[in-house]
Amino acid sequence: MIIVRDAYKSFNGNQVLKGLNLEILEGEMFALIGRSGLGKSVLLKHIIGIMKPDTGDIFVDEQNVGSLHGKQLEAMRRKFGYLFQEGALFDSLTVFENVAFPLREKTAMKEPEIKDRVFVELEHMGLKKDAHKYPAELSGGMRKRTSLARAMIMQPSIMLFDEPTTGLDPIIGQSILNYIQLCHRRLGFTGIIVTHDVPRVFTIVQKIAMMDDGRIIINGTYDEIVRQGNPAFQQFLSGSIDGPLHYV
Amino acid sequence: MFISCIRGLGRGALGVLEMLGSYGMFLLTAFFWLFGSPLKFRRVLEQIIFIGVKSTVIVLLTGAFTGMVFALQVFYALSKFGGESLLGPTVALSLIRELGPVVSALMITGRAGSALASEIGIMRITEQIDALEIMAVNPYRYLVVPNVVAAVVSFPLLGAFFSMIGIWGGYLVGVKLLGVSEGTYFGEMSNFVEMKDITMGITKSLSFGLIVSWVCCYKGFFTEFGAKGVGKATTQSVVISSVLILIWDYFITSISL
Ligand SMILES: Nc1ncnc2c1ncn2[C@@H]1O[C@H](COP(=O)(O)OP(=O)(O)OP(=O)(O)O)[C@@H](O)[C@H]1O
Ligand SMILES: [Mg+2]
């Protein structure tokens, strides 16, 4: 279970989180939507603890993320898989080595076993024949998929996906979403998907939250939100310029 | 006016203290991970290749020419009072005690230190360092420690190469070109060069290795965002490393004489 309580965060005067509250239940798939540049990535980084709120607390499984150190912090980090928006692949390592990295660093697995695991994962991502390439030789979509494979290889219990389908063609995008759903069913992780890929993503999540002006303004299941007929949500879905959300 | 002057001074002094503190903490953290966890030998080896092996050619080249030109100049000076026989020891002592460690360190800083700072800087701005942290891989242990160890190993070796080839360059010029006898060149050299000269050269190289890897890793690690940030980090790391090498060199020479 993830709880964000009253989180405030600003970057030299730019107030990004303004008392944000959010609760995500164990095993839930959660979509986080909202306009560009409003702090969705920042929120994910707070949850995993590489950014700290100015005030407010973040709890993951009853532990305050900001107060952890050493072994406890390491144990907490191991629960997470994180897909960076820009991939954050190690550019001195090949696709294979990138995906194998967490296994090599954090498990006692033998090399043949690692090889099998990595190739199974790469197969799912359609990257098997690119295993020897370096990130600089990949297309944007391939980079994203490599990064996704690296995030999932440790089979974490909490997955944070920062725009898993952005920059992919619609077909690969759909297959990635299907794969995430498949993994969720198989592994039962708690998942947060930050995405602009609406309405497609709604088919694989249980709940949706929408962020605006540093807070969560809408939170609920798809049916609930549609029943409420929230104008901001409808505007976001239709991509209309007129409505309660406007350009900043 | 007066008050604002004092205020400015105070702020400047605080800034410097803060910076020194942050450099110090960085090194302490690196030491903590160096002694507190098993060393990653593969990474160290990779970085020895990156910092050391790949700098060999440039170090040998500069070493040879430094030795050659130095022999020319010294021969000219010595011949004013008929002291040509001291060419060997003068060249050797200067190279081993001073030029070897310092010039090779400056060359490695230009080639490898800058690359190190920009590589780590790029890892910072593309979130690769965050990725390490998220995977619970300590970036100090994975990035900083191997570089510091590699530099501390590579600098003395390259410094020694520099001195050796420099002495050989001096031999070419002094013996083959200017006619000093081979026996005098090497004979006088072994009379005058003592163990403590060699120790001093090695001590200098070791400390330069530490300084350069420290500054360059620090600058890369705390790069400001954007390509501009990386450029700035790279330039500054070379400038700061070079200046520190020269200052520290004077300091260590003066206390050990
Ligand atoms: N490290 C940082 N330093 C300073 N400001 C930052 C930093 N990270 C994010 N910001 C600021 O926080 C705000 C939110 O950024 P964030 O990346 O979270 O947006 P986002 O909602 O993920 O947008 P997008 O959908 O485009 O990815 C932006 O105004 C950005 O400038
Ligand atoms: Mg984002």
Side-chain angles (χ1 to χ4, degrees), chain A residues 7-248:
Chain A
Y8 282 82
K9 178 73 175 181
S10 66
F11 298 100
N12 1 305
N14 171 17
Q15 191 76 42
V16 177
L17 304 183
K18 306 178 184 172
L20 189 138
N21 285 291
L22 184 63
E23 212 165 283
I24 295 165
L25 301 178
E26 186 113 24
E28 203 168 53
M29 276 292 262
F30 204 97
L32 182 64
I33 59 175
R35 286 171 305 149
S36 232
L38 281 181
K40 302 182 297 298
S41 300
V42 166
L43 177 59
L44 289 191
K45 286 176 187 168
H46 276 76
I47 292 173
I48 203 165
I50 47 173
M51 282 185 182
K52 297 219 164 8
D54 299 334
T55 61
D57 293 300
I58 288 124
F59 296 91
V60 174
D61 298 339
E62 269 93 61
Q63 281 183 300
N64 190 333
V65 177
S67 69
L68 298 179
H69 295 285
K71 287 268 175 285
Q72 281 178 316
L73 182 64
E74 172 153 358
M76 168 69 63
R77 290 268 161 83
R78 279 180 179 228
K79 293 183 185 176
F80 280 96
Y82 191 108
L83 171 66
F84 282 87
Q85 187 168 0
E86 310 292 345
L89 293 173
F90 301 122
D91 42 33
S92 57
L93 304 181
T94 63
V95 167
F96 176 86
E97 290 166 333
N98 262 287
V99 180
F101 187 85
L103 296 175
R104 285 180 174 159
E105 290 294 325
K106 288 287 144 189
T107 68
M109 263 188 200
K110 296 271 174 297
E111 205 54 28
E113 211 180 331
I114 290 179
K115 205 167 164 190
D116 290 345
R117 269 283 283 283
V118 172
F119 272 108
V120 168
E121 199 70 32
L122 289 180
E123 176 99 75
H124 282 300
M125 298 291 165
L127 285 168
K128 213 170 169 185
K129 61 181 192 316
D130 305 300
H132 60 280
K133 288 188 181 158
Y134 285 90
E137 304 169 271
L138 301 178
S139 76
M142 288 153 88
R143 232 172 280 155
K144 189 130 254 175
R145 283 179 282 150
T146 308
S147 195
L148 188 57
R150 186 180 69 182
M152 308 255 267
I153 193 83
M154 295 287 273
Q155 309 194 327
S157 58
I158 304 170
M159 271 299 315
L160 309 179
F161 305 94
D162 200 345
E163 310 205 1
T165 57
T166 307
L168 300 180
D169 69 62
I171 299 163
I172 292 187
Q174 187 61 53
S175 74
I176 293 287
L177 288 183
N178 291 349
Y179 183 61
I180 291 177
Q181 186 175 33
L182 182 82
C183 290
H184 177 244
R185 288 208 182 117
R186 211 176 54 206
L187 306 171
F189 53 68
T190 310
I192 305 180
I193 305 183
V194 167
T195 186
H196 301 297
D197 197 358
V198 292
R200 199 164 59 178
V201 72
F202 299 148
T203 58
I204 71 162
V205 299
Q206 282 92 53
K207 277 208 193 138
I208 302 158
M210 186 161 163
M211 199 173 156
D212 201 54
D213 196 27
R215 288 187 200 89
I216 300 292
I217 56 162
I218 303 172
N219 189 351
T221 65
Y222 181 71
D223 291 337
E224 281 168 12
I225 296 172
V226 169
R227 212 173 318 121
Q228 286 164 7
N230 189 304
F233 187 70
Q234 271 158 9
Q235 185 196 349
F236 192 82
L237 276 198
S238 63
S240 151
I241 296 171
D242 306 311
L245 307 175
H246 25 236
Y247 287 100
V248 248

Side-chain angles (χ1 to χ4, degrees), chain B residues 129-190:
Chain B
I129 295 184
D130 290 332
L132 283 175
E133 253 178 65
I134 279 168
M135 292 184 231
V137 175
N138 187 283
Y140 284 89
R141 180 167 173 227
Y142 186 81
L143 279 180
V144 181
V145 169
N147 278 309
V148 172
V149 174
V152 169
V153 171
S154 304
F155 274 60
L157 286 172
L158 288 171
F161 286 163
F162 187 101
S163 302
M164 274 183 334
I165 197 139
I167 290 170
W168 176 76
Y171 162 83
L172 278 189
V173 169
V175 176
K176 298 287 176 200
L177 200 68
L178 301 170
V180 177
S181 94
E182 190 170 327
T184 318
Y185 186 80
F186 286 114
E188 292 294 321
M189 198 181 288
S190 60

Side-chain angles (χ1 to χ4, degrees), chain B:
Chain B
M1 176 63 203
F2 181 67
I3 298 276
S4 77
C5 228
I6 300 266
R7 200 175 284 154
L9 267 178
R11 198 174 301 133
L14 277 181
V16 169
L17 275 181
E18 199 177 317
M19 189 193 72
L20 288 180
S22 132
Y23 269 93
M25 272 312 291
F26 185 78
L27 191 65
L28 278 182
T29 316
F31 277 144
F32 173 81
W33 285 99
L34 172 59
F35 298 113
S37 62
L39 197 60
K40 291 185 169 297
F41 280 105
R42 230 188 92 107
R43 290 277 304 142
V44 172
L45 213 61
E46 281 169 11
Q47 292 317 105
I48 288 182
I49 291 172
F50 179 69
I51 297 174
V53 177
K54 290 189 174 165
S55 305
T56 315
V57 173
I58 184 83
V59 163
L60 290 181
L61 200 69
T62 44
F65 278 96
T66 308
M68 281 157 67
V69 76
F70 194 66
L72 274 182
Q73 298 282 26
V74 168
F75 184 84
Y76 171 75
L78 290 175
S79 65
K80 299 218 162 188
F81 55 89
E84 292 93 334
S85 65
L86 290 177
L87 180 67
T90 314
V91 168
L93 282 177
S94 312
L95 279 167
I96 291 170
R97 291 173 61 97
E98 190 61 49
L99 293 171
V102 173
V103 180
S104 67
L106 291 174
M107 295 312 293
I108 309 169
T109 304
R111 202 208 64 83
S114 57
L116 196 63
S118 69
E119 200 178 290
I120 297 181
I122 286 171
M123 290 188 74
R124 165 64 72 196
I125 65 167
T126 57
E127 301 183 311
Q128 293 175 52
I129 295 184
D130 290 332
L132 283 175
E133 253 178 65
I134 279 168
M135 292 184 231
V137 175
N138 187 283
Y140 284 89
R141 180 167 173 227
Y142 186 81
L143 279 180
V144 181
V145 169
N147 278 309
V148 172
V149 174
V152 169
V153 171
S154 304
F155 274 60
L157 286 172
L158 288 171
F161 286 163
F162 187 101
S163 302
M164 274 183 334
I165 197 139
I167 290 170
W168 176 76
Y171 162 83
L172 278 189
V173 169
V175 176
K176 298 287 176 200
L177 200 68
L178 301 170
V180 177
S181 94
E182 190 170 327
T184 318
Y185 186 80
F186 286 114
E188 292 294 321
M189 198 181 288
S190 60
N191 282 343
F192 280 99
V193 178
E194 297 170 53
M195 197 57 214
K196 74 168 204 271
D197 301 315
I198 295 173
T199 323
M200 181 184 212
I202 293 175
T203 315
K204 283 185 175 179
S205 286
L206 285 173
S207 49
F208 296 157
L210 183 65
I211 290 173
V212 171
S213 54
W214 177 17
V215 171
C216 295
C217 288
Y218 178 93
K219 278 287 168 195
F221 211 78
F222 297 109
T223 298
E224 289 162 41
F225 277 75
K228 248 197 181 133
V230 176
K232 204 166 125 191
T234 310
T235 318
Q236 286 184 346
S237 65
V238 172
V239 173
I240 296 175
S241 299
S242 308
V243 171
L244 283 181
I245 286 174
L246 296 172
I247 295 176
W248 180 246
D249 178 53
Y250 180 82
F251 180 73
I252 201 170
T253 309
S254 67
I255 60 164
S256 65
L257 276 179

